[in-house]
Each structure stands twice: as C-alpha cells, then as structure tokens.
Coordinates of all heavy atoms in Angstrom, one line a residue:
M200 N 106.3 98.9 78.1 CA 106.6 97.7 78.7 C 105.4 96.8 79.0 O 104.3 97.3 79.3 CB 107.3 98.0 80.0 CG 108.4 96.9 80.2 SD 109.4 96.9 81.7 CE 109.1 98.1 82.9
N201 N 105.6 95.6 78.7 CA 104.4 94.6 78.8 C 104.3 94.0 80.1 O 105.2 93.3 80.5 CB 104.6 93.5 77.7 CG 103.3 92.6 77.5 OD1 102.4 92.8 78.4 ND2 103.2 91.7 76.6
T202 N 103.2 94.3 80.9 CA 103.2 93.7 82.3 C 102.0 92.8 82.4 O 101.4 92.8 83.4 CB 102.9 94.9 83.3 OG1 101.9 95.7 82.9 CG2 104.2 95.7 83.4
E203 N 101.7 92.1 81.3 CA 100.7 91.1 81.4 C 101.0 89.9 82.4 O 102.2 89.6 82.6 CB 100.5 90.4 80.1 CG 99.4 91.0 79.3 CD 99.1 90.2 78.0 OE1 98.9 89.0 78.0 OE2 99.2 90.9 76.9
P204 N 100.0 89.4 83.1 CA 100.4 88.5 84.1 C 100.9 87.1 83.5 O 100.5 86.7 82.5 CB 99.0 88.1 84.8 CG 98.0 88.9 84.1 CD 98.7 89.6 83.0
D205 N 101.9 86.6 84.2 CA 102.5 85.4 83.7 C 101.6 84.2 83.9 O 101.1 84.0 85.0 CB 103.8 85.3 84.6 CG 104.7 84.0 84.1 OD1 104.1 83.2 83.4 OD2 105.9 83.9 84.5
P206 N 101.3 83.5 82.9 CA 100.4 82.3 83.1 C 100.9 81.3 83.9 O 100.1 80.5 84.6 CB 100.2 81.8 81.6 CG 101.2 82.5 80.8 CD 101.7 83.7 81.5
T207 N 102.1 81.2 84.2 CA 102.7 80.2 85.2 C 102.5 80.6 86.6 O 102.6 79.9 87.5 CB 104.3 80.0 85.0 OG1 104.8 81.3 85.2 CG2 104.6 79.6 83.6
M208 N 101.9 81.9 86.8 CA 101.5 82.4 88.1 C 100.1 82.1 88.5 O 99.5 82.6 89.4 CB 101.8 83.9 88.1 CG 103.3 84.3 88.1 SD 104.3 83.6 89.2 CE 103.9 84.7 90.7
D209 N 99.5 81.1 87.8 CA 98.1 80.7 88.0 C 97.8 80.4 89.5 O 96.8 80.6 90.1 CB 97.7 79.5 87.2 CG 96.2 79.4 86.9 OD1 95.6 80.5 86.9 OD2 95.8 78.3 87.0
L210 N 98.8 79.8 90.2 CA 98.7 79.5 91.6 C 98.3 80.7 92.5 O 97.6 80.6 93.3 CB 100.1 78.8 92.1 CG 99.9 78.2 93.5 CD1 99.1 76.9 93.5 CD2 101.4 77.8 93.9
T211 N 98.9 81.8 92.1 CA 98.6 83.0 92.9 C 97.2 83.4 92.8 O 96.5 83.8 93.7 CB 99.5 84.2 92.3 OG1 100.9 83.8 92.3 CG2 99.4 85.4 93.2
F212 N 96.6 83.2 91.6 CA 95.2 83.5 91.3 C 94.3 82.6 92.2 O 93.4 83.1 92.8 CB 94.8 83.4 89.8 CG 93.4 83.6 89.5 CD1 92.8 84.8 89.5 CD2 92.7 82.5 89.3 CE1 91.5 84.9 89.3 CE2 91.3 82.5 89.1 CZ 90.7 83.8 89.0
T213 N 94.7 81.4 92.2 CA 93.9 80.4 93.0 C 94.0 80.8 94.5 O 93.0 80.7 95.1 CB 94.5 79.0 92.8 OG1 94.5 78.7 91.4 CG2 93.6 77.8 93.5
D214 N 95.1 81.2 95.0 CA 95.3 81.6 96.4 C 94.4 82.8 96.6 O 93.7 82.9 97.7 CB 96.7 81.9 96.7 CG 97.5 80.5 96.9 OD1 96.9 79.5 96.8 OD2 98.8 80.7 96.9
A215 N 94.5 83.7 95.7 CA 93.7 84.9 96.0 C 92.2 84.7 96.0 O 91.5 85.2 96.8 CB 93.9 85.9 94.9
A216 N 91.7 83.7 95.1 CA 90.3 83.4 95.0 C 90.0 82.6 96.3 O 88.9 83.0 96.9 CB 90.2 82.4 93.9
S217 N 90.8 81.8 96.9 CA 90.4 81.1 98.2 C 90.5 82.0 99.3 O 89.8 81.8 100.3 CB 91.2 79.8 98.3 OG 92.6 80.1 98.3
A218 N 91.4 83.0 99.3 CA 91.5 84.0 100.3 C 90.2 84.9 100.4 O 89.7 85.2 101.5 CB 92.7 84.9 100.1
Q219 N 89.7 85.2 99.2 CA 88.4 85.9 99.1 C 87.3 85.0 99.7 O 86.5 85.5 100.4 CB 88.2 86.3 97.7 CG 87.4 87.5 97.6 CD 87.2 87.8 95.9 OE1 87.6 87.0 95.1 NE2 86.7 89.1 95.8
E220 N 87.3 83.8 99.3 CA 86.3 82.8 99.8 C 86.3 82.8 101.3 O 85.3 82.8 102.0 CB 86.5 81.5 99.2 CG 85.3 81.0 98.4 CD 85.6 79.6 97.8 OE1 86.6 79.3 97.2 OE2 84.7 78.8 98.2
A221 N 87.6 82.6 101.9 CA 87.8 82.5 103.3 C 87.3 83.7 104.1 O 86.8 83.6 105.2 CB 89.3 82.2 103.6
A222 N 87.5 84.9 103.4 CA 87.1 86.1 104.1 C 85.6 86.2 104.2 O 85.0 87.0 105.0 CB 87.6 87.3 103.3
Q223 N 84.8 85.4 103.4 CA 83.4 85.4 103.4 C 82.9 84.5 104.5 O 81.7 84.4 104.8 CB 82.8 85.1 102.1 CG 83.0 86.1 101.1 CD 82.7 85.7 99.6 OE1 82.4 84.5 99.4 NE2 82.8 86.7 98.6
L224 N 83.7 83.6 105.1 CA 83.3 82.8 106.1 C 83.0 83.5 107.4 O 83.6 84.5 107.6 CB 84.4 81.8 106.5 CG 84.7 80.8 105.4 CD1 85.8 79.8 105.9 CD2 83.5 79.9 105.1
P225 N 82.0 83.2 108.2 CA 81.6 84.0 109.3 C 82.9 84.2 110.3 O 83.6 83.2 110.5 CB 80.5 83.2 110.1 CG 80.0 82.2 109.0 CD 81.2 81.9 108.1
A226 N 83.0 85.3 110.9 CA 84.1 85.6 111.9 C 83.8 84.7 113.1 O 82.6 84.3 113.5 CB 84.0 87.0 112.3
L227 N 84.9 84.3 113.7 CA 84.8 83.5 114.9 C 84.6 84.4 116.2 O 85.0 85.6 116.2 CB 86.1 82.7 115.0 CG 86.3 81.6 114.0 CD1 87.7 81.4 113.7 CD2 85.7 80.4 114.5
T228 N 83.9 84.0 117.1 CA 83.6 84.6 118.3 C 84.2 83.8 119.5 O 84.5 82.7 119.4 CB 82.1 84.9 118.5 OG1 81.5 83.5 118.9 CG2 81.4 85.5 117.4
A229 N 84.1 84.5 120.8 CA 84.5 83.7 122.0 C 83.7 82.5 122.3 O 84.1 81.7 123.0 CB 84.5 84.7 123.1
F230 N 82.5 82.4 121.6 CA 81.6 81.3 121.9 C 82.0 80.1 121.0 O 81.6 78.9 121.2 CB 80.3 81.6 121.7 CG 79.7 82.7 122.6 CD1 79.5 84.0 122.2 CD2 79.4 82.4 124.0 CE1 79.0 84.9 123.0 CE2 79.0 83.3 124.8 CZ 78.8 84.7 124.4
D231 N 82.9 80.2 120.0 CA 83.4 79.3 119.2 C 84.4 78.5 119.8 O 85.5 79.1 120.2 CB 83.7 79.8 117.7 CG 82.6 80.3 116.9 OD1 81.6 79.5 116.7 OD2 82.7 81.4 116.4
R232 N 84.1 77.2 120.0 CA 85.3 76.3 120.8 C 85.7 75.2 119.8 O 85.0 74.7 118.9 CB 84.6 75.8 121.9 CG 84.2 76.7 123.0 CD 85.4 77.4 123.7 NE 85.1 78.7 124.1 CZ 86.0 79.4 124.8 NH1 87.2 79.0 125.2 NH2 85.7 80.6 125.2
C233 N 87.0 74.9 120.0 CA 87.7 73.9 119.1 C 86.9 72.7 119.0 O 86.4 72.1 120.0 CB 89.1 73.7 119.7 SG 90.1 72.5 118.7
D234 N 86.8 72.1 117.8 CA 86.1 70.9 117.5 C 86.9 69.6 117.7 O 86.4 68.5 117.7 CB 85.5 70.9 116.1 CG 84.2 71.7 116.0 OD1 83.5 71.8 116.9 OD2 84.1 72.3 114.9
A235 N 88.2 69.8 118.0 CA 89.1 68.7 118.2 C 88.6 67.9 119.6 O 88.2 68.7 120.5 CB 90.5 69.1 118.2
P236 N 88.7 66.7 119.5 CA 88.3 65.9 120.7 C 89.2 66.3 122.0 O 90.3 66.6 121.9 CB 88.6 64.4 120.4 CG 88.8 64.4 118.9 CD 89.2 65.7 118.5
D237 N 88.4 66.6 123.1 CA 89.1 66.9 124.3 C 89.8 68.3 124.3 O 90.6 68.6 125.2 CB 90.1 65.8 124.8 CG 89.4 64.4 125.0 OD1 88.2 64.5 125.5 OD2 90.0 63.5 124.7
C238 N 89.3 69.2 123.4 CA 89.9 70.4 123.5 C 88.8 71.5 123.6 O 87.9 71.4 122.9 CB 90.7 70.7 122.2 SG 91.5 72.4 122.0
T239 N 88.8 72.4 124.5 CA 87.8 73.5 124.7 C 88.4 74.8 124.5 O 87.7 75.8 124.8 CB 87.2 73.3 126.1 OG1 88.3 73.4 127.0 CG2 86.5 72.0 126.3
A240 N 89.5 74.9 123.9 CA 90.1 76.3 123.6 C 89.3 77.0 122.7 O 88.5 76.5 121.9 CB 91.6 76.1 123.1
Q241 N 89.4 78.4 122.8 CA 88.7 79.3 121.8 C 89.2 78.9 120.4 O 90.4 78.9 120.1 CB 88.9 80.7 122.2 CG 88.2 81.7 121.4 CD 88.2 83.2 121.9 OE1 88.7 83.4 122.9 NE2 87.8 84.1 120.9
A242 N 88.2 79.0 119.5 CA 88.6 78.7 118.2 C 89.1 79.9 117.4 O 88.5 81.1 117.5 CB 87.4 78.1 117.4
Y243 N 90.1 79.8 116.6 CA 90.6 80.8 115.8 C 90.7 80.5 114.3 O 91.2 81.3 113.5 CB 91.9 81.4 116.4 CG 91.8 82.3 117.6 CD1 91.8 81.7 118.8 CD2 91.6 83.6 117.4 CE1 91.7 82.6 119.9 CE2 91.4 84.5 118.4 CZ 91.5 83.9 119.7 OH 91.3 84.7 120.7
V244 N 90.4 79.2 114.0 CA 90.5 78.7 112.7 C 89.1 78.1 112.3 O 88.7 77.4 113.0 CB 91.6 77.7 112.5 CG1 91.6 77.1 111.0 CG2 93.0 78.3 112.8
R245 N 88.5 78.6 111.2 CA 87.3 78.0 110.6 C 87.6 77.4 109.3 O 88.1 78.0 108.5 CB 86.2 79.1 110.5 CG 84.8 78.5 110.1 CD 83.9 79.6 109.9 NE 83.5 80.4 110.9 CZ 82.5 80.0 111.8 NH1 81.9 79.0 111.7 NH2 82.3 80.8 112.8
A246 N 87.1 76.1 109.1 CA 87.3 75.4 107.9 C 85.9 75.1 107.3 O 85.1 74.4 108.1 CB 88.2 74.2 108.0
R247 N 85.7 75.4 106.1 CA 84.4 74.9 105.5 C 84.8 73.9 104.5 O 85.5 74.1 103.5 CB 83.7 76.0 104.8 CG 82.2 75.6 104.4 CD 81.4 76.7 103.6 NE 82.2 76.9 102.4 CZ 82.1 78.0 101.7 NH1 81.4 79.1 102.2 NH2 82.6 78.2 100.6
L248 N 84.3 72.6 104.8 CA 84.6 71.5 104.0 C 83.9 71.5 102.6 O 82.9 72.3 102.5 CB 84.4 70.1 104.8 CG 84.9 70.1 106.2 CD1 84.6 68.7 106.8 CD2 86.4 70.2 106.1
R249 N 84.3 70.8 101.7 CA 83.6 70.8 100.4 C 82.2 70.3 100.5 O 81.3 70.6 99.8 CB 84.3 69.8 99.5 CG 85.7 70.4 99.0 CD 86.4 69.5 98.2 NE 86.3 70.0 96.7 CZ 87.0 69.4 95.7 NH1 87.9 68.5 96.0 NH2 86.9 69.8 94.5
S250 N 81.9 69.5 101.6 CA 80.6 68.9 101.8 C 79.6 70.1 102.3 O 78.4 69.9 102.4 CB 80.5 67.9 102.9 OG 81.0 68.4 104.1
G251 N 80.2 71.3 102.7 CA 79.5 72.5 103.2 C 79.5 72.4 104.7 O 79.1 73.5 105.3
R252 N 80.1 71.4 105.4 CA 80.1 71.3 106.7 C 81.3 72.3 107.3 O 82.3 72.5 106.6 CB 80.4 69.9 107.3 CG 80.3 69.7 108.8 CD 80.4 68.3 109.1 NE 80.5 68.2 110.6 CZ 81.2 67.4 111.3 NH1 81.9 66.3 110.6 NH2 81.2 67.3 112.5
S253 N 81.0 72.9 108.4 CA 82.0 73.9 108.9 C 82.5 73.3 110.2 O 81.7 72.8 111.1 CB 81.2 75.2 109.1 OG 82.2 76.3 109.3
L254 N 83.9 73.4 110.4 CA 84.6 73.0 111.6 C 85.4 74.2 112.1 O 85.8 74.9 111.3 CB 85.4 71.8 111.4 CG 84.7 70.5 110.9 CD1 85.9 69.5 110.4 CD2 84.0 69.9 112.1
V255 N 85.5 74.3 113.5 CA 86.3 75.4 114.0 C 87.4 74.7 114.9 O 87.1 73.7 115.5 CB 85.5 76.4 114.7 CG1 84.6 77.0 113.8 CG2 84.8 75.7 115.9
F256 N 88.5 75.3 114.9 CA 89.7 74.8 115.7 C 90.4 75.9 116.3 O 90.5 77.0 115.9 CB 90.7 74.0 114.8 CG 90.1 72.8 114.0 CD1 89.7 72.9 112.8 CD2 89.8 71.7 114.8 CE1 89.2 71.8 112.1 CE2 89.2 70.5 114.2 CZ 89.0 70.6 112.8
C257 N 91.1 75.6 117.5 CA 92.0 76.6 118.2 C 93.2 76.7 117.2 O 93.4 75.9 116.3 CB 92.3 75.9 119.5 SG 93.4 74.4 119.4
G258 N 94.0 77.7 117.5 CA 95.1 77.9 116.7 C 96.1 76.6 116.7 O 96.6 76.4 115.6
H259 N 96.3 76.0 117.7 CA 97.1 74.8 117.8 C 96.7 73.7 116.9 O 97.4 73.2 116.0 CB 97.1 74.2 119.3 CG 97.8 72.9 119.5 ND1 99.2 72.8 119.5 CD2 97.3 71.6 119.5 CE1 99.5 71.5 119.6 NE2 98.3 70.9 119.7
H260 N 95.3 73.3 117.0 CA 94.8 72.1 116.2 C 94.5 72.6 114.9 O 94.8 71.8 113.9 CB 93.5 71.6 116.8 CG 93.7 70.8 118.1 ND1 93.2 71.2 119.3 CD2 94.3 69.6 118.2 CE1 93.6 70.2 120.2 NE2 94.3 69.3 119.5
G261 N 94.2 73.9 114.7 CA 94.0 74.5 113.3 C 95.2 74.4 112.4 O 95.2 73.9 111.3
H262 N 96.4 74.7 113.0 CA 97.6 74.7 112.3 C 98.1 73.2 112.1 O 98.7 73.0 111.0 CB 98.7 75.5 112.9 CG 98.4 77.0 112.8 ND1 99.2 78.0 113.5 CD2 97.5 77.7 112.1 CE1 98.7 79.2 113.1 NE2 97.7 79.1 112.2
D263 N 97.7 72.4 113.0 CA 98.0 70.9 112.9 C 97.3 70.3 111.7 O 98.0 69.5 110.9 CB 97.7 70.2 114.2 CG 98.8 70.0 115.1 OD1 99.8 70.5 114.9 OD2 98.7 69.2 116.1
L264 N 96.1 70.8 111.6 CA 95.2 70.1 110.6 C 95.2 70.8 109.2 O 94.7 70.4 108.3 CB 93.8 70.0 111.2 CG 93.7 69.1 112.3 CD1 92.3 69.3 113.0 CD2 93.8 67.7 111.9
L265 N 95.7 72.1 109.3 CA 95.7 72.9 108.0 C 96.2 72.2 106.8 O 95.4 72.2 105.7 CB 96.6 74.2 108.2 CG 96.2 75.4 107.5 CD1 94.8 75.8 107.7 CD2 97.1 76.5 107.7
P266 N 97.3 71.5 106.7 CA 97.6 70.8 105.5 C 96.6 69.8 105.0 O 96.3 69.6 103.8 CB 99.0 70.1 105.9 CG 99.5 70.9 107.0 CD 98.2 71.3 107.8
A267 N 96.0 69.0 105.9 CA 95.0 68.0 105.7 C 93.8 68.7 105.1 O 93.1 68.2 104.2 CB 94.7 67.1 106.9
L268 N 93.4 69.7 105.7 CA 92.1 70.4 105.4 C 92.3 71.0 104.0 O 91.5 70.9 103.0 CB 91.7 71.6 106.3 CG 91.3 71.1 107.7 CD1 91.4 72.2 108.7 CD2 89.9 70.5 107.6
A269 N 93.5 71.7 103.7 CA 93.8 72.3 102.4 C 93.8 71.2 101.3 O 93.3 71.4 100.2 CB 95.1 73.0 102.5
G270 N 94.3 70.0 101.7 CA 94.5 68.9 100.8 C 93.1 68.4 100.3 O 92.9 67.8 99.3
Q271 N 92.1 68.6 101.2 CA 90.7 68.1 100.8 C 89.9 69.2 100.2 O 88.7 69.1 100.1 CB 90.1 67.6 102.2 CG 90.6 66.3 102.6 CD 90.0 65.8 103.9 OE1 88.8 66.0 104.2 NE2 90.8 65.0 104.7
G272 N 90.5 70.4 99.9 CA 89.8 71.4 99.2 C 89.0 72.2 100.1 O 88.1 73.0 99.6
A273 N 89.2 72.2 101.4 CA 88.5 73.0 102.5 C 88.9 74.5 102.3 O 90.0 74.8 101.9 CB 88.7 72.5 103.8
V274 N 87.9 75.4 102.5 CA 88.2 76.8 102.6 C 88.5 77.1 104.0 O 87.7 76.7 104.9 CB 87.1 77.7 102.1 CG1 87.3 79.1 102.2 CG2 86.8 77.3 100.6
V275 N 89.7 77.7 104.2 CA 90.1 77.9 105.7 C 90.2 79.3 106.0 O 90.9 80.1 105.3 CB 91.4 77.2 106.0 CG1 91.8 77.4 107.4 CG2 91.3 75.7 105.7
R276 N 89.6 79.8 107.1 CA 89.8 81.2 107.6 C 90.7 81.1 108.8 O 90.3 80.5 109.9 CB 88.4 81.8 107.8 CG 88.5 83.2 108.5 CD 87.2 83.7 109.0 NE 87.3 85.0 109.6 CZ 86.8 86.1 109.3 NH1 85.9 86.1 108.3 NH2 86.9 87.2 110.0
D277 N 91.8 81.7 108.7 CA 92.7 81.7 109.9 C 92.8 83.0 110.6 O 93.3 83.9 110.1 CB 94.1 81.3 109.4 CG 95.1 81.0 110.5 OD1 94.7 81.4 111.7 OD2 96.2 80.6 110.2
D278 N 92.2 83.1 111.8 CA 92.2 84.4 112.5 C 93.3 84.4 113.7 O 93.3 85.3 114.5 CB 90.8 84.6 113.2 CG 89.8 85.2 112.2 OD1 90.2 85.5 111.1 OD2 88.5 85.0 112.5
T279 N 94.2 83.4 113.6 CA 95.2 83.4 114.6 C 96.0 84.7 114.7 O 96.6 85.0 115.8 CB 96.2 82.1 114.5 OG1 96.6 82.1 113.2 CG2 95.4 81.0 114.8
P280 N 96.2 85.5 113.6 CA 96.9 86.7 113.8 C 96.3 87.6 114.8 O 96.9 88.5 115.4 CB 96.9 87.4 112.4 CG 96.7 86.2 111.4 CD 95.9 85.2 112.3
L281 N 95.0 87.5 115.1 CA 94.2 88.2 116.1 C 94.8 88.1 117.4 O 94.7 88.9 118.3 CB 92.7 88.0 116.1 CG 92.0 88.3 114.8 CD1 90.5 87.9 115.0 CD2 91.9 89.9 114.7
L282 N 95.3 86.8 117.7 CA 96.0 86.5 118.9 C 97.1 87.5 119.2 O 97.2 88.0 120.4 CB 96.4 85.1 119.0 CG 95.4 84.0 119.0 CD1 96.0 82.7 118.6 CD2 94.8 84.0 120.4
V283 N 97.9 87.7 118.2 CA 99.1 88.7 118.5 C 98.5 90.0 118.6 O 99.0 90.8 119.5 CB 100.0 88.5 117.1 CG1 101.2 89.5 117.3 CG2 100.5 87.2 116.9
E284 N 97.4 90.4 117.8 CA 96.9 91.8 117.9 C 96.4 92.1 119.3 O 96.5 93.1 119.8 CB 95.8 91.9 116.9 CG 95.9 93.0 115.9 CD 94.8 93.0 114.9 OE1 93.7 93.4 115.2 OE2 95.1 92.5 113.8
N285 N 95.7 91.0 119.8 CA 95.1 91.2 121.2 C 96.1 91.3 122.2 O 95.9 91.9 123.2 CB 94.1 89.9 121.5 CG 92.9 90.0 120.7 OD1 92.5 90.9 120.2 ND2 92.3 88.9 120.6
R286 N 97.2 90.6 122.0 CA 98.3 90.8 123.0 C 98.9 92.1 123.0 O 99.2 92.7 124.0 CB 99.4 89.7 122.6 CG 100.2 89.2 123.8 CD 101.0 87.9 123.4 NE 100.2 86.9 123.1 CZ 100.7 85.9 122.2 NH1 101.9 86.0 121.6 NH2 100.0 84.9 121.9
L287 N 98.9 92.7 121.9 CA 99.5 94.1 121.7 C 98.6 95.1 122.4 O 99.0 96.1 122.8 CB 99.8 94.4 120.3 CG 100.9 93.7 119.5 CD1 100.9 94.0 118.1 CD2 102.3 94.0 120.2
R288 N 97.3 94.8 122.3 CA 96.3 95.6 122.9 C 96.2 95.7 124.4 O 95.6 96.5 124.9 CB 94.9 95.2 122.3 CG 94.1 96.4 121.7 CD 92.8 96.0 121.1 NE 92.9 95.7 119.7 CZ 92.2 94.8 119.0 NH1 91.3 94.1 119.6 NH2 92.3 94.6 117.8
I289 N 96.9 94.8 125.0 CA 96.9 94.7 126.5 C 97.5 96.0 127.0 O 97.1 96.5 128.1 CB 97.7 93.5 127.0 CG1 96.7 92.2 126.6 CG2 97.9 93.5 128.5 CD1 97.5 90.9 126.8
T290 N 98.5 96.4 126.3 CA 99.1 97.8 126.8 C 98.1 98.9 127.0 O 97.4 99.2 126.1 CB 100.1 98.3 125.8 OG1 101.0 97.2 125.4 CG2 101.1 99.4 126.4
P291 N 97.9 99.3 128.2 CA 96.8 100.3 128.4 C 97.2 101.7 127.9 O 98.4 102.0 128.0 CB 96.8 100.4 130.1 CG 98.1 99.9 130.4 CD 98.8 98.9 129.5
S292 N 96.2 102.3 127.3 CA 96.4 103.7 126.9 C 96.1 104.7 128.0 O 95.0 104.7 128.4 CB 95.7 103.8 125.6 OG 94.3 104.2 125.8
I293 N 97.2 105.3 128.4 CA 96.9 106.3 129.6 C 96.9 107.7 128.9 O 97.9 108.0 128.0 CB 97.9 106.1 130.6 CG1 97.9 104.6 131.1 CG2 97.7 107.1 131.7 CD1 99.1 104.2 132.0
G294 N 96.1 108.6 129.3 CA 96.2 109.9 128.9 C 95.0 110.4 128.0 O 95.1 111.4 127.5
G295 N 93.9 109.5 128.0 CA 92.7 109.9 127.3 C 92.9 110.2 125.8 O 92.3 111.1 125.3
G296 N 93.7 109.5 125.1 CA 93.7 109.6 123.7 C 94.6 110.6 123.2 O 94.7 111.0 122.0
R297 N 95.5 111.3 124.0 CA 96.4 112.2 123.5 C 97.5 111.5 122.9 O 98.0 110.4 123.2 CB 97.0 113.1 124.8 CG 96.2 114.3 125.0 CD 96.9 115.1 126.2 NE 96.7 114.4 127.4 CZ 97.8 114.4 128.4 NH1 98.7 115.3 128.1 NH2 97.7 113.7 129.4
N298 N 98.1 112.2 121.8 CA 99.2 111.6 121.1 C 100.4 112.3 121.4 O 100.7 113.4 121.2 CB 99.0 111.5 119.6 CG 98.0 110.5 119.2 OD1 97.9 109.5 119.8 ND2 97.2 110.8 118.2
Ligands
ZN124 ZN1 92.1 72.6 120.0

C-alpha cells in the first residue's frame, strides 16, 4: 500500500512547522502580564511578530487577537491549556502518594 503524504495536505505541514516554532518561544511565567491596555492579568499567550517583537496576552485577549496575529504571520504560543491543568491540580492529594 502506498502511504505517501498527500500534497494537498501541505497546510498540515505548515501547522506542524509553526507549532514547532511556537514551542521554541520562552515559556510564560507568573511575572508575564497581559500587554493589552488596562489589563494586568497573567499572560498565557505569547506572540512573536515577524518584526521579532514579542507580545504577551492573557487568555481572554490572546484568544481575541489570535486571528489577527496569525493573519500577520506571528508565531503564537498558547499556554491556556495550563489553566485547566492548574485547576485540576487544586484537588489535594491525601495519603502521601499511595495509589
Ligand atoms: Zn488581557
């Protein structure tokens, strides 16, 4: 059976390449605050513009601006899934690691 990649699936390759690029952007910390005016929320989205300038946004503003950033060819690292992970981690583990 021939399982060569379909050339019409070129978009997938582009997405994978930009996902790899996005993973190389520095991770966000609690000190990174949203760059949107009048917003001081913790940043969970980092965008590196084609100019090389880096901007960070909270989940709310990041998702608002994502289409515009992507349209300008920015590389975007979206760490908002960590918000869900952190919420799950709130459940205290009682019993000293016994399973
Ligand atoms: Zn914000």
Side-chain angles (χ1 to χ4, degrees):
M200 225 188 347
N201 190 354
T202 53
E203 261 184 59
D205 183 348
T207 60
M208 297 297 283
D209 198 39
L210 189 67
T211 309
F212 174 75
T213 306
D214 283 351
S217 59
Q219 207 175 11
E220 245 186 302
Q223 287 168 2
L224 293 179
L227 291 150
T228 70
F230 297 107
D231 290 307
R232 295 289 152 176
C233 183
D234 281 329
D237 300 325
C238 182
T239 56
Q241 185 174 343
Y243 280 93
V244 177
R245 182 187 295 279
R247 197 183 60 209
L248 308 180
R249 288 177 103 171
S250 66
R252 190 171 171 215
S253 201
L254 293 171
V255 296
F256 298 104
C257 66
H259 171 84
H260 286 116
H262 287 175
D263 263 8
L264 295 167
L265 207 58
L268 291 165
Q271 289 181 26
V274 177
V275 178
R276 175 187 175 123
D277 183 355
D278 281 347
T279 51
L281 290 176
L282 288 167
V283 179
E284 242 176 73
N285 288 344
R286 210 170 294 150
L287 292 174
R288 230 177 265 155
I289 288 169
T290 312
S292 77
I293 302 166
R297 271 183 294 150
N298 285 326

